[in-house]
Amino acid sequence: MKNYIKSLLILGLVASCNTNASKETVLEEAEKPVEGIVYEEYQGEEPTKPEETEIYEPVPPRVTLSKRGIPSDAIVLFDGSSLDNWISTLDSTAAKWTINDDNSMTVANKTGDIQTKQNFGSVQLHIEWRSPAEVQGENQSRGNSGIFLNNLYEVQVLDNNDNPTYVNGQVASIYKQHIPLAMASSETGDWNVYDIIYHAPEFNDDGAKIKSGTLTVIHNGVLVQDHVEIKGTTPYIGWPKNPAHGRGPLRLQDHGDNSRVSYRNIWVREL
Ligand code: MG
């Protein structure tokens, strides 16, 4: 028994020595100068006190949430009360979509897209949408709508449940450019949430694109577009185009085939 305990003690000592040795190796590795990206703000003499690497300005602005979860610095574009912030894309008259009793609105078929009166550049957008519970049509003709950032770049809205289509045009695709990383739709007839981060492209004075725009899309809490590069416009037919542009409206699509898609709780934060 004594020998058994002695063996255990020796084994423990060896194990502990090995752990210490590996810790030292890790520390030595971490302290080695790393070749690669050099951050100029972290050059110079190595700080010796914590205060030397602590900064106090600028102080981030305080943002609070309303009872409905809307950030205090957001611009509310639709809360169910009216379509006053929107116009018809066809003729710039009042938007003709239907406002419902549950604070949502529904595409009025063949009345055309609607767009915000206000123009935006880069934004964080929150928008909720629902395909009708009563299924009609298939492929791209089932609950098809879309959200056009800057009036040009479509994040697809589609009822894809048991309804396959080309994957670069499925729900949450950047239409005909980026396949979503996952299909995260709610049951048909239930509400979906998109949280979208859009960074606008940049153009030089000659109208040439010098920096691509990007899109990040979170669908019902699932990351489905991860800071993807916008290659240009998102047409049904043809390649992406890159017309120079500044700020533009946010536009919602009337696909023209009785999609009956509804939207609610739309707000943006300008970036
Ligand atoms: Mg669409």
Side-chain angles (χ1 to χ4, degrees):
M1 186 65 179
K2 261 187 183 174
N3 278 346
Y4 174 67
I5 292 171
K6 200 174 165 188
S7 302
L8 277 182
L9 283 172
I10 290 167
L11 274 174
L13 194 64
V14 170
S16 130
C17 285
N18 281 347
T19 311
N20 286 340
S22 65
K23 271 182 193 162
E24 277 166 20
T25 314
V26 170
L27 279 175
E28 278 168 19
E29 288 290 324
E31 281 163 9
K32 277 185 190 168
V34 179
E35 288 179 16
I37 300 169
V38 176
Y39 297 97
E40 287 191 5
E41 66 268 43
Y42 300 130
Q43 298 303 298
E45 212 163 300
E46 181 71 16
T48 55
K49 296 179 195 148
E51 298 79 28
E52 290 176 67
T53 48
E54 293 166 3
I55 59 174
Y56 289 86
E57 285 182 331
V59 178
R62 178 86 172 105
V63 175
T64 56
L65 294 186
S66 73
K67 281 181 186 163
R68 295 176 59 195
I70 301 170
S72 51
D73 61 352
I75 300 165
V76 175
L77 295 172
F78 181 72
D79 63 3
S81 57
S82 80
L83 281 167
D84 287 352
N85 294 322
W86 302 78
I87 54 172
S88 163
T89 299
L90 281 178
D91 56 11
S92 299
T93 58
K96 295 171 187 68
W97 291 13
T98 309
I99 296 186
N100 308 307
D101 293 337
D102 63 355
N103 290 327
S104 68
M105 61 165 146
T106 302
V107 178
N109 193 41
K110 292 193 187 330
T111 59
D113 296 356
I114 63 169
Q115 64 187 53
T116 55
K117 289 177 180 171
Q118 192 171 341
N119 290 328
F120 302 99
S122 301
V123 289
Q124 172 187 350
L125 167 68
H126 176 96
I127 187 164
E128 301 176 24
W129 61 270
R130 174 176 67 182
S131 301
E134 188 190 322
V135 168
Q136 179 185 294
E138 58 183 2
N139 201 322
Q140 292 280 314
S141 295
R142 183 181 297 178
N144 190 333
S145 183
I147 300 151
F148 288 79
L149 282 304
N150 228 140
N151 201 22
L152 294 169
Y153 311 117
E154 182 182 10
V155 177
Q156 177 71 301
V157 167
L158 190 73
D159 179 2
N160 250 143
N161 294 316
D162 301 315
N163 182 35
T165 187
Y166 45 93
V167 292
N168 61 345
Q170 75 167 64
V171 65
S173 62
I174 309 306
Y175 188 68
K176 290 196 170 174
Q177 285 184 30
H178 293 285
I179 303 163
L181 298 169
M183 196 293 206
S185 285
S186 307
E187 294 295 313
T188 300
D190 289 344
W191 285 98
N192 288 266
V193 179
Y194 277 173
D195 286 291
I196 298 173
I197 314 293
Y198 166 68
H199 287 282
E202 294 173 18
F203 302 86
N204 66 17
D205 291 343
D206 297 327
K209 189 169 81 173
I210 54 171
K211 188 176 179 187
S212 291
T214 60
L215 275 163
T216 297
V217 180
I218 296 171
H219 183 186
N220 293 333
V222 177
L223 180 66
V224 290
Q225 298 287 351
D226 187 6
H227 197 65
V228 295
E229 177 187 0
I230 300 168
K231 294 170 182 171
T233 54
T234 53
Y236 177 41
I237 300 171
W239 302 123
K241 307 293 187 297
N242 283 284
H245 64 80
R247 293 159 69 87
L250 177 73
R251 176 160 60 91
L252 303 179
Q253 184 182 45
D254 167 17
H255 200 251
D257 47 11
N258 196 26
S259 72
R260 297 159 296 144
V261 171
S262 300
Y263 290 96
R264 72 177 182 187
N265 198 16
I266 308 173
W267 51 259
V268 292
R269 295 179 65 243
E270 296 192 275
L271 302 176

